[in-house]
Amino acid sequence: MSPAGETGCFDAWPFELKEVLESEADGFFTVLPMRSVDSTNEELKRRIRALKDSEELPEGLTAAAAEQTAGKGRLGRTWESPMGESAYFSFLLRPSVPVENISMLTLLMGLSVAEAVNGLYHAGASIKWPNDVVIGSKKICGILTEAFFRKGTDIPYVIVGTGINVNNPSFDGELKDKALSLRMFLNEEVSPARITASVLRRFAFNYQHFLEKRDLHTVKERYNAILVNKERDVRVEDPAGPYTGIARGIDDFGRLAVDRAGEDGRSERVYISSGEVSVRGLYGYV
Ligand code: BTN
């Protein structure tokens, strides 16, 4: 099979994804395949905005595109999304959870990407807290989660958008030392439909676990097993002042437990939330 699927066209994989996933009996995802779109997150947002009062969109609705013309990254950055290089997709969830638990879904997606990549390619992918999926010290995907409340309901619409570096031949500039594609790692081209289908199946499985307790309790062992920061020295970029410590793993809420080094040589256990601070390895990005 060609990397983009049986047709051999780089713009065909979202259509192939739809066929594969919708032929599965217990499928959670309904795919909206697109050759090109501004942003798969924006596409879902437009569909939410277009809803009339009593209308709903189903969980698992997935916008997948071969190209994005205005891909969005975190913190207002752009996400370069050329045709034929990466997989770009976003899906919708309607979890009945408190608003503070929504960010856990980003960690759940990071776990799902790492597990799918390892399941298919034995790539040794791991997670840099909270949700960077890395091979070695280089990032292979980005995740942008956005949540909205519509009038009259306290169940949010959550959009989880993911870009996986699939067939990028190389990265230049500031990404050169930070990013990696599956093709660069494996030295061969990869089917975007195959890896995306596998990630989505993995997410559906992990999401069922998440919904049991509406937190990360049932997946945290698997997450911590591939957490690159675990038992490592880290530097926490706290706005109140940076400090160092040893990362111990996440708790049920996705917070990173860090044994913070004190001046007297003793350490104090602190729990840090994603979004509040960033964590770096003492000797580099991880
Ligand atoms: C990051 O900055 O690391 C997050 C990048 C998220 C990119 C994906 S690609 C699919 C979806 N659509 C977007 O516009 N962004 C996300």
Side-chain angles (χ1 to χ4, degrees), residues 23-56:
S23 66
E24 294 175 3
D26 55 348
F28 177 77
F29 296 98
T30 310
V31 182
L32 298 164
M34 280 165 291
R35 188 187 170 279
S36 181
V37 71
D38 53 354
S39 149
T40 52
N41 274 35
E42 289 302 313
E43 176 63 31
L44 291 183
K45 241 184 270 178
R46 277 192 291 273
R47 287 173 186 254
I48 296 169
R49 277 193 217 108
L51 289 173
K52 308 234 166 58
D53 284 350
S54 58
E55 290 176 336
E56 302 278 4

Side-chain angles (χ1 to χ4, degrees), residues 19 32 49 52 82-83 92 106 108 117 134 147 151 169 179 181-182 184 203-204 207 211 224 236 240 261 270 283:
E19 228 173 85
L32 298 164
R49 277 193 217 108
K52 308 234 166 58
M83 173 76 72
L92 205 62
T106 316
L108 202 70
V117 166
V134 296
K151 259 197 215 144
S181 69
L182 295 175
M184 289 159 69
F203 185 88
Y207 186 52
L211 290 176
N224 284 331
V236 179
V270 294
Y283 310 105

Side-chain angles (χ1 to χ4, degrees), residues 64-98:
E67 170 191 70
Q68 296 185 123
T69 53
K72 300 190 312 172
R74 291 176 54 244
L75 309 171
R77 298 191 189 113
T78 55
W79 186 258
E80 293 299 325
S81 309
M83 173 76 72
E85 300 208 344
S86 302
Y88 317 106
F89 57 96
S90 306
F91 55 77
L92 205 62
L93 300 172
R94 302 291 316 279
S96 177
V97 298

